[in-house]
Amino acid sequence: MPELHHTIIEPFKIKVVEPIRFTTREERERLLKAAHYNPFLLHAEDVMFDLLTDSGTSAMSAAQWGAMMVADESYAGSRSYYKFETVVKELTGFKHVIPVHQGRAAERILFGLVGGPGLTIPNNNHFDTTRANVEHSGATALDLVIPEGKDPANTHPFKGNIDLNKLEDLLKSAKVPLGMLTVTNNTGGGQPVSMENIRQTSLLLRKHGIPFFLDACRFAENSYFIKSREAGYADKTPHDIAQEMFSHCDGATMSCKKDALCNIGGFLACNSDELAEKARNDLILTEGFPTYGGLAARDLEAMAIGLKEVLDERYLEYRIASTRYFTKKLNDEGIQTVQPPGGHAVYIDARAALPHIPIEQYPGQALVCSLYLAGGIRSVEIGSVMFGRSSDGKESFSDMDLVRLAIPRRVYTESHVKYMAEMIVAAVRGGDALHGLRFTYQAPVLRHFTARFAPV
Ligand code: F0G
């Protein structure tokens, strides 16, 4: 990775601001107890820095807000739809563009059409909604990320790559209706996929006549990683790189809540006329007419502009630098994180940070609680609380207990990041005072959203 010799600045001025409500530690102790030690159950106004997700939390630009005012809210054939369609077609090259209200709606439609019992759908790592929609269709969702992608300390530049040998073996033995790559690989730490890996995956799948789709939520961040890390791309624009990524594929699902800098929206795009026709019929049944797909036209306007703004090289330089800066601040103070820093989030190794808390007492959730107590920071546990209960109801502890700090786009400044890093260091240093946790309530599936805990 190139060393930084200059200050990378936020490439925007701030025109609209939202005050942060400051809380005291005493207040936060009371609020956290009332939320049963699960920050998902907090009111957002009791959170000072919300790093729960980078999804739907972007600050929109003046151009996006302006376009929303002149949107054409016609039920059918809206001008705003055609504007959106033109932008997506120019970027992706796909023949059909079907708007949906968010990423998982595109997944449900796609896997409802191509999935089914007896089929396997490979990916580097399926995101949890993608996996759930594949499995809902009766198909098997298979993760084939390279071994380096599972090792938090490994500094491979493209830890999101799929293992091509494993993919080739799978194609010989299983029925595969569609192959997928998630860029960047959220489940694996926001790690990028190289253009070479995209190209080889495409060749392999096409040799077997199998369609290849991207889960393109963070396509612009992936393009910037290719530009800065892969030989031959340094002089290309993120836009050209993104176009090349899509050119190897037959379609894509996209949650515009990420790299379209929007609060809601998404699309399903593809080249197949047959798939598009079936998808539009499903869309009419469940989302809305094909020129609005469950959205207001003002959302289509915001997406059309966001998809362009996100590819601005200065923006991407700042975006990737802020995640790197945050990670470095923590690493310099001895806090271990997934390496190298990914695009949209910092992932702290909670077992290393709180070694005195046994795995059975959920060190990830304990760290999430202590970050809230120390600095009013809301983060999310990615470990045994999220994944530790198997379908038979047994508790099986996951390989890692991570805490994800997802960074909303264009929302927090450098001094916010400095403050958060100070508070995180203070929380970890005060570690002896932290307690492990036990469940007092858990739902049978996706328990992390509504779980309740008590200190051990
Ligand atoms: N694919 C990936 C890689 C995602 O990260 C997400 C959402 C989705 C699909 C689903 O999109 O939320 O619009 O339905 N990720 C969010 C997160 C929720 O916090 O990482 P959606």
Side-chain angles (χ1 to χ4, degrees):
M1 241 183 298
E3 273 304 305
L4 299 178
H5 296 295
H6 63 288
T7 304
I8 295 170
I9 59 168
E10 289 86 355
F12 46 78
K13 298 186 285 182
I14 299 169
K15 173 143 51 182
V16 178
V17 296
E18 191 179 336
I20 290 174
R21 191 176 87 77
F22 282 67
T23 49
T24 61
R25 185 172 173 114
E26 290 67 40
E27 250 182 304
R28 294 195 290 273
E29 276 172 9
R30 185 175 49 72
L31 291 162
L32 188 64
K33 193 170 174 204
H36 303 278
Y37 300 89
N38 184 356
F40 270 110
L41 304 179
L42 289 167
H43 289 211
E45 68 171 3
D46 296 330
V47 173
M48 289 173 62
F49 297 97
D50 208 345
L51 307 187
L52 193 60
T53 179
D54 64 319
S55 180
T57 52
S58 298
M60 292 210 294
S61 65
Q64 285 176 298
W65 284 112
M68 288 175 86
M69 286 303 291
V70 294
D72 169 10
E73 299 292 350
S74 304
Y75 188 96
S78 150
R79 182 182 68 240
S80 304
Y81 169 73
Y82 291 109
K83 181 172 165 187
F84 165 72
E85 185 196 41
T86 303
V87 170
V88 179
K89 279 191 172 174
E90 193 277 331
L91 172 66
T92 65
F94 297 131
K95 192 169 167 195
H96 302 283
V97 180
I98 300 166
V100 291
H101 79 275
Q102 65 181 86
R104 69 198 73 181
E107 293 164 1
R108 186 192 56 72
I109 293 173
L110 178 65
F111 298 121
L113 294 172
V114 306
L119 303 174
T120 303
I121 297 177
N123 204 329
N124 43 1
N125 279 117
H126 289 276
F127 179 66
D128 49 13
T129 60
T130 323
R131 168 174 296 280
N133 276 295
V134 168
E135 290 175 352
H136 186 67
S137 80
T140 302
L142 191 66
D143 290 340
L144 294 179
V145 74
I146 54 170
E148 292 88 335
K150 295 181 206 162
D151 171 6
N154 194 300
T155 55
H156 188 291
F158 290 103
K159 284 170 86 173
N161 283 356
I162 197 167
D163 188 323
L164 293 162
N165 293 328
K166 286 198 182 139
L167 180 62
E168 191 158 22
D169 288 347
L170 178 79
L171 298 181
K172 286 181 200 145
S173 58
K175 278 198 199 164
V176 177
L178 179 138
M180 216 170 192
L181 279 178
T182 303
V183 293
T184 58
N185 186 15
N186 185 10
T187 308
Q191 300 291 329
V193 181
S194 70
M195 190 71 86
E196 182 57 18
N197 195 254
I198 294 174
R199 195 180 297 124
Q200 294 301 335
T201 304
S202 172
L203 285 173
L204 203 54
L205 290 168
R206 283 181 176 172
K207 198 170 85 187
H208 288 79
I210 298 168
F212 173 32
F213 273 54
L214 281 188
D215 176 340
C217 294
R218 300 178 180 87
F219 75 97
E221 290 171 10
N222 201 82
S223 303
Y224 191 77
F225 280 119
I226 289 176
K227 181 179 169 70
S228 48
R229 295 185 186 171
E230 191 164 350
Y233 288 93
D235 295 331
K236 298 214 160 104
T237 65
H239 175 266
D240 291 348
I241 297 171
Q243 271 186 331
E244 187 182 335
M245 281 165 47
F246 287 115
S247 75
H248 294 296
C249 305
D250 304 292
T253 57
M254 167 91 189
S255 167
C256 290
K257 299 173 74 172
K258 286 84 172 174
D259 268 354
L261 301 169
C262 286
N263 304 128
I264 197 71
F267 62 80
L268 170 63
C270 64
N271 285 329
S272 159
D273 296 339
E274 195 193 332
L275 183 69
E277 189 189 333
K278 288 183 184 158
R280 287 199 178 101
N281 288 337
D282 188 327
L283 188 85
I284 291 174
L285 190 67
T286 57
E287 291 272 301
F289 193 73
T291 59
Y292 74 85
L295 294 161
R298 52 183 172 271
D299 302 316
L300 297 167
E301 292 278 349
M303 293 195 290
I305 292 173
L307 284 168
K308 288 188 169 176
E309 288 181 353
V310 79
L311 286 164
D312 175 65
E313 206 166 316
R314 291 248 184 234
Y315 160 75
L316 285 168
E317 179 187 47
Y318 137 81
R319 170 75 176 156
I320 301 303
S322 25
T323 310
R324 188 170 58 220
Y325 174 82
F326 201 161
T327 309
K328 189 170 182 307
K329 283 242 162 257
L330 299 180
N331 295 161
D332 286 351
E333 297 293 334
I335 296 177
Q336 290 177 31
T337 58
V338 171
Q339 297 295 347
H344 67 292
V346 182
Y347 294 73
I348 301 177
D349 182 344
R351 285 186 196 167
L354 305 180
H356 60 288
I357 297 187
I359 290 167
E360 299 74 31
Q361 294 178 13
Y362 307 103
Q365 190 67 20
L367 185 59
V368 164
C369 288
S370 65
L371 300 190
Y372 178 69
L373 290 177
I377 301 164
R378 178 152 70 169
S379 54
V380 66
E381 191 258 16
I382 302 196
S384 299
V385 170
M386 198 178 261
F387 302 121
R389 189 186 167 102
S390 32
S391 42
D392 58 8
K394 277 212 187 95
E395 194 72 16
S396 59
F397 294 95
S398 60
D399 295 342
M400 290 188 281
D401 282 301
L402 301 177
V403 168
R404 183 180 85 165
L405 308 167
I407 307 171
R409 293 168 181 77
R410 305 192 291 207
V411 171
Y412 295 119
T413 64
E414 183 178 337
S415 38
H416 289 139
V417 172
K418 264 189 191 157
Y419 170 88
M420 287 191 270
E422 277 169 27
M423 293 300 119
I424 294 167
V425 171
V428 171
R429 295 253 164 92
D432 291 341
L434 293 172
H435 291 283
L437 295 161
R438 63 182 171 83
F439 277 94
T440 57
Y441 164 77
Q442 52 183 308
V445 284
L446 296 174
R447 64 178 178 178
H448 54 286
F449 290 117
T450 53
R452 294 177 190 171
F453 302 89
V456 174

